[in-house]
């Protein structure tokens, strides 16, 4: 008796049992996508998330598509493309969300279309913006485990150290 691997339901949903391979005949996981690329080429798309939706309230943020991890019925993490100026162009941010202990969702990191990165904020004002708003603790923690190594240096436009904290706890 042959084993049934694919079922197409009346609503159009397809159910597949086993592993699915795209570009491979021997997939090692539930979904394996394999593409031979050329080194030195920066145009090697493997997956497209293409949202062709129209209409709705163009004044609101719009989720262009997500990759979501789930545990049972709970979304535990996601990476989403969020159109941040829906009515005026294609400025798309990346938002990384994680689940809280109670099962809710929180945005843990945002990368704006202009390159600003926010940890703890969805509207970073500079290239790196770290915000702590839940407990009275450090907003950032920098650790160097190499003996005698420096912890933090600010480099000026001429390449020289403008400010440095060293392993002795001194700065200058």
């Amino acid at each position: 008796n042959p084993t049934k691997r694919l079922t197409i339901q009346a609503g159009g949903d397809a159910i597949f049992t086993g592993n699915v391979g795209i570009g491979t005949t021997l997939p090692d996981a539930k979904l394996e996508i394999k593409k031979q690329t050329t080194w030195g080429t920066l145009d090697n798309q493997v997956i497209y998330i293409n949202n062709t939706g129209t209409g709705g309230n163009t004044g609101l943020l719009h989720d262009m598509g997500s990759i979501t991890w789930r545990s049972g019925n709970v979304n535990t993490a996601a990476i989403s493309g969020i159109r941040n100026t829906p009515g005026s162009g294609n400025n798309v941010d990346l938002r990384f969300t994680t689940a809280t202990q109670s099962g809710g969702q929180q945005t843990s990191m945002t990368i704006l279309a202009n390159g600003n990165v926010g940890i703890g904020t969805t509207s970073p004002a500079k290239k790196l913006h770290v915000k702590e708003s839940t407990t009275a603790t450090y907003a950032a923690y920098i650790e160097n485990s190499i003996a005698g190594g420096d912890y933090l240096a600010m480099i000026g436009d001429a390449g020289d150290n403008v400010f440095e904290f060293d392993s002795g706890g001194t700065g200058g």
Side-chain angles (χ1 to χ4, degrees), residues 5 11 24 37 40-41 48 54 61 65 73-74 102 107 119 129 132 159:
R5 299 267 186 199
T24 180
T37 61
T41 303
Y48 278 103
T54 59
L61 295 177
N73 292 325
V74 177
S102 62
T107 299
I119 299 173
H129 183 155
E132 172 60 56

Side-chain angles (χ1 to χ4, degrees), residues 148-153 164-172:
D150 291 333
Y151 292 112
L152 179 65
E164 181 179 283
F165 282 107
D166 62 27
S167 59
T170 59

